[in-house]
């Protein structure tokens, strides 16, 4: 008989009476007064193995096995006795009566139980190999595989070819800090690990490969947040001779197909489209969570002449903004919850959180409850109620500050309330998949400290038709042919139509105060290639880790990556990064400066 004839989790009543050979790990061993039960686990799930004392050799082996022993079992498939069926398992109607039991490899006592749901992330990442044996991690990584296969099948059917681009490349400014790799052969010079294959995929379009894709590692040496990794995986795509709408339509179709085939989820068709200005104006975010049924009302003009200086000051400030956000049923919110939200918005730079409880509109200002009402004249109060559409029993929260602070703080508050128990109780949250295209991004962001414009997306993004002249006269007016796909408040991916004419690319560099010499030094290979009849082209990249995290409902992208790093960019399993010996440094012509020791953990 073969070493294994069947997966444990796929052993069902279809095999009744047959002898099977199974291999896997002991998930649990139970001694029930003379009969020993072993739950044997493999990648497909569990099966119950019965070891009877009549089989003396089998039974003596069963007495010594413990959790995580690697085992081989040969036995006959039979129905479980009445009342012992486990409907949660595919194998739950049967058990295997063991005839041979072989320990392929014993295990020391594991540092944790695999079915313990309260493990710290440090424990899990330190013992990642065991953590990956847990069924939820097995399911996560198998779903990741299924997603990549669906992506590959779709792109193959649409004429895309997978082309690898270099991992050791030139350091170019793309928004984050590069990981640098010293060159031993070229002393004193460095490669950079790619933040994305952006320039190479554009060169492939110039080289007439027409439709390219790659599921590829990207690297960014940036300060990490909860769902950031120093290395992450992109589904990177580029195509020639397609306009913005055609590209969006194609890749919307891909994501819809991936969700259908991987999870049997039907996403809306078509996805709604929202301009960037509307997303920021109504939700304070360029990736709004459309499941939350709350929106901003802009009150900047209303507040210019009120006595409340917090409002009037922001309303008259250059770049200031005042918004209201109506919370239906919010007047029932206790003061303790409002105080907690005040502390929450402070994280985003808000100096406070003004509010008005709308108890009874018919009573005028007497029907409004708030410390700020006395500082707002009747006309302002009337306009606030009209514009927000407030009803009796509602609450209005206010944000007043620089636009960025207001957008960040009240935008985050909007999501927090929507996702809260209060929000769900008051029907402020719609628990369905809500995709969205956000389009018409500004081409540049102004850096006040550096007194210069930076590319909002990257410097190779094309301006909207007719906006090329703004590059020289008023870069702030320039709208880009850029687009992001958003799902439930997460940016799944984004891209743009690229600049394919060298003179337009040069104008963009000049708008960013990158002179011809600097442009040639950093991007000369791209600028030179654009001169050889570069085709119109564009594309986008999706974050694979993020897509799979959403699909699994995992708490972190680290739960869908086999061997992730911590927030300190460390691998607890291998203890990387680590020191290297002096000989290696000498070969690289590197001498270390003295540095403060890094505390691991």
């Amino acid at each position: 008989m073969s070493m294994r004839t069947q997966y444990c989790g796929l052993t069902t009543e279809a095999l009744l009476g047959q002898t099977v050979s199974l291999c896997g790990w002991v998930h649990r061993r139970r001694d029930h007064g003379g009969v020993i039960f072993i739950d044997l686990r493999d990648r497909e799930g569990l099966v119950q193995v019965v070891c009877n004392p009549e089989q003396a050799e089998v039974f003596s082996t069963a007495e010594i096995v413990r959790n995580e022993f690697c085992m081989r079992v040969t036995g006959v498939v039979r129905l479980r006795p009445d009342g012992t069926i486990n409907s949660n398992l595919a194998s739950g109607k049967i058990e295997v009566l063991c005839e041979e039991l072989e320990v392929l490899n014993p295990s020391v006592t594991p540092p944790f139980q695999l079915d313990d749901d309260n493990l710290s992330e440090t424990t899990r990442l330190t013992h990642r190999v065991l953590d990956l044996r847990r069924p939820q991690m097995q399911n996560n990584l198998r779903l990741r595989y299924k997603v990549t296969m669906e992506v590959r099948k779709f792109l193959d059917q649409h004429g895309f070819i997978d082309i690898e681009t270099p991992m050791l490349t030139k350091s170019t400014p793309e928004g984050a800090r590069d990981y640098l790799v010293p060159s031993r052969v070229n002393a004193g010079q460095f490669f950079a690990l790619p933040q994305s294959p952006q320039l190479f995929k554009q060169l492939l379009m110039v080289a007439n490969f027409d439709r390219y894709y790659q599921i590829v590692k990207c690297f960014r040496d940036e300060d990490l947040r909860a769902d950031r990794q120093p290395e992450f995986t992109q589904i990177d795509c580029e195509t020639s001779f397609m306009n913005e709408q055609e590209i969006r339509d194609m890749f919307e179709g891909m994501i819809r197909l991936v969700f259908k085939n991987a999870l049997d989820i039907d996403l809306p068709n078509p996805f709604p489209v929202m301009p960037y200005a509307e997303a920021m104006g109504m939700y304070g975010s360029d990736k709004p969570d459309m499941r939350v049924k709350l929106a901003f009302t802009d009150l900047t003009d209303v507040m210019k002449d009120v006595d409340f200086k917090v409002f009037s000051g922001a309303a008259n400030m250059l770049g200031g903004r005042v918004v209201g956000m109506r919370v239906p049923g919010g007047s029932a919110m206790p003061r303790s919850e409002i105080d907690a939200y005040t502390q929450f918005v402070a994280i985003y730079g808000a100096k406070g959180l003004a509010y008005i409880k709308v108890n009874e509109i018919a009573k005028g200002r007497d029907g409004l409850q708030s410390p700020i009402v006395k500082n707002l004249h009747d006309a302002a109060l009337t306009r606030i109620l009209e514009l927000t559409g407030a009803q009796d029993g509602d609450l209005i929260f206010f944000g007043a500050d620089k636009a960025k602070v207001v957008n960040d703080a009240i935008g985050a508050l909007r999501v927090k309330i929507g996702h809260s128990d209060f929000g769900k109780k008051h029907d402020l949250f719609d628990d369905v998949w809500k995709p969205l295209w956000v389009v018409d991004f500004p081409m540049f962001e102004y850096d006040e400290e550096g007194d210069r414009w930076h590319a909002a997306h990257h410097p190779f993004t094309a301006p909207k038709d007719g906006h090329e002249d703004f590059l020289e006269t008023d870069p702030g007016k320039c709208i880009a042919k850029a687009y992001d796909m958003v799902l439930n408040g997460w940016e799944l991916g984004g891209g743009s139509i690229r600049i394919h004419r060298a003179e337009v690319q040069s104008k963009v560099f000049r708008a960013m105060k990158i002179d011809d010499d600097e442009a040639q030094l950093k991007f000369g290979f791209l600028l030179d290639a654009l001169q050889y009849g570069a085709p119109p082209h564009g594309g986008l990249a999706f974050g694979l880790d993020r897509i799979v995290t959403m699909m699994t409902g995992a708490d972190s992208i680290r739960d869908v990556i086999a061997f992730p790093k911590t927030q300190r960019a460390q691998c607890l399993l291998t203890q990387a990064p680590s020191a290297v010996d002096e000989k290696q440094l000498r070969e690289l012509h590197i001498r270390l400066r003295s540095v403060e020791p890094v505390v691991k953990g």
Side-chain angles (χ1 to χ4, degrees), residues 30-304:
R30 292 165 284 140
D31 191 336
H32 284 195
V35 178
I36 294 175
F37 293 92
I38 294 172
D39 290 338
L40 196 67
R41 183 191 72 243
D42 63 14
R43 74 176 208 183
E44 298 295 339
L46 299 173
V47 68
Q48 179 170 283
V49 177
V50 182
C51 303
N52 283 326
E54 290 80 7
Q55 294 272 7
E57 191 175 339
V58 165
F59 196 77
S60 64
T61 303
E63 285 185 309
I64 65 166
V65 304
R66 295 294 183 267
N67 286 5
E68 300 312 309
F69 273 40
C70 186
M71 308 292 296
R72 177 171 178 261
V73 171
T74 301
V76 177
V77 179
R78 70 181 189 185
L79 288 173
R80 290 194 187 195
D82 289 342
T84 64
I85 290 174
N86 185 345
S87 58
N88 295 320
L89 298 177
S91 64
K93 292 182 180 179
I94 59 92
E95 60 190 15
V96 175
L97 179 61
C98 188
E99 296 178 341
E100 294 178 33
L101 186 62
E102 179 184 358
V103 177
L104 297 175
N105 213 341
S107 171
V108 298
T109 302
F112 54 82
Q113 295 292 324
L114 266 66
D115 52 6
D116 184 350
D117 291 329
N118 297 309
L119 298 172
S120 73
E121 189 170 67
T122 298
T123 299
R124 291 179 55 207
L125 294 183
T126 301
H127 304 281
R128 188 59 161 184
V129 176
L130 287 177
D131 185 50
L132 288 173
R133 286 185 185 175
R134 299 194 307 143
Q136 58 265 53
M137 291 303 298
Q138 295 269 313
N139 291 337
N140 287 357
L141 291 184
R142 291 179 71 178
L143 179 64
R144 183 184 178 112
Y145 163 74
K146 192 169 186 180
V147 168
T148 60
M149 286 304 298
E150 292 297 335
V151 166
R152 290 187 187 280
K153 284 190 287 187
F154 177 92
L155 293 172
D156 183 65
Q157 289 166 5
H158 286 79
F160 286 77
I161 60 173
D162 183 351
I163 304 177
E164 295 177 22
T165 53
M167 283 292 154
L168 296 175
T169 183
K170 181 183 175 72
S171 179
T172 57
E174 289 188 47
R177 189 182 294 109
D178 286 325
Y179 274 101
L180 299 177
V181 181
S183 170
R184 179 184 60 82
V185 177
N186 301 285
Q189 296 186 316
F190 294 81
F191 295 106
L193 300 180
Q195 294 184 31
S196 80
Q198 180 61 46
L199 298 180
F200 285 107
K201 67 180 179 180
Q202 290 191 243
L203 294 174
L204 287 169
M205 294 303 102
V206 182
N208 186 30
F209 281 97
D210 190 60
R211 292 189 175 189
Y212 140 97
Y213 86 95
Q214 202 180 176
I215 298 179
V216 61
K217 283 286 187 193
C218 302
F219 305 86
R220 295 182 184 176
D221 184 9
E222 57 187 349
D223 294 332
L224 302 180
R225 298 201 296 266
D227 275 347
R228 289 274 176 88
Q229 285 282 294
E231 52 179 322
F232 56 96
T233 306
Q234 275 187 187
I235 304 167
D236 198 53
C237 308
E238 197 79 1
T239 179
S240 299
F241 308 115
M242 290 180 73
N243 62 33
E244 181 180 342
Q245 186 65 53
E246 290 171 319
I247 290 173
R248 289 211 319 261
D249 288 347
M250 173 177 284
F251 289 102
E252 178 180 318
M254 183 183 85
I255 293 298
R256 194 179 292 111
L257 191 75
V258 166
F259 270 75
K260 179 64 177 175
N261 290 350
L263 286 185
D264 197 25
I265 285 172
D266 292 302
L267 294 178
N269 185 11
F271 292 0
V273 179
M274 180 180 293
Y276 168 88
E278 181 180 334
M280 296 304 295
M282 292 186 67
Y283 309 109
S285 171
D286 59 3
K287 46 182 183 294
D289 186 344
M290 300 308 292
R291 295 173 299 174
V292 177
K293 302 176 188 177
L294 298 171
F296 295 2
T297 300
D298 196 288
L299 300 171
T300 308
D301 290 340
V302 175
M303 300 302 184
K304 288 184 181 295

Side-chain angles (χ1 to χ4, degrees), residues 333-357:
M333 195 179 288
R335 181 59 190 264
S336 59
E337 197 165 343
I338 294 173
D339 290 343
Y341 287 141
T342 303
Q343 291 181 330
F344 173 73
V345 296
I347 298 169
Y348 300 88
K351 300 177 184 69
L353 182 62
Y355 68 91
I356 294 177
K357 287 189 173 184

Side-chain angles (χ1 to χ4, degrees), residues 389-431:
Q391 306 291 318
D392 290 351
D394 291 350
L395 174 81
I396 304 168
F397 281 121
F398 296 89
D401 209 310
K402 289 183 177 177
K404 183 178 185 337
V405 173
V406 171
N407 291 338
D408 290 351
I410 308 303
L413 178 66
R414 170 184 174 269
V415 173
K416 191 167 182 67
I417 293 173
H419 285 253
S420 69
D421 291 340
F422 178 92
K424 290 169 182 174
K425 179 182 176 183
H426 287 77
D427 193 31
L428 305 180
F429 183 82
D430 192 6
D431 194 12

Side-chain angles (χ1 to χ4, degrees), residues 378-392:
D378 288 347
L381 289 172
T382 299
R383 289 294 287 157
I384 289 168
L385 297 174
E386 285 176 352
L387 292 171
T388 60
Q391 306 291 318
D392 290 351

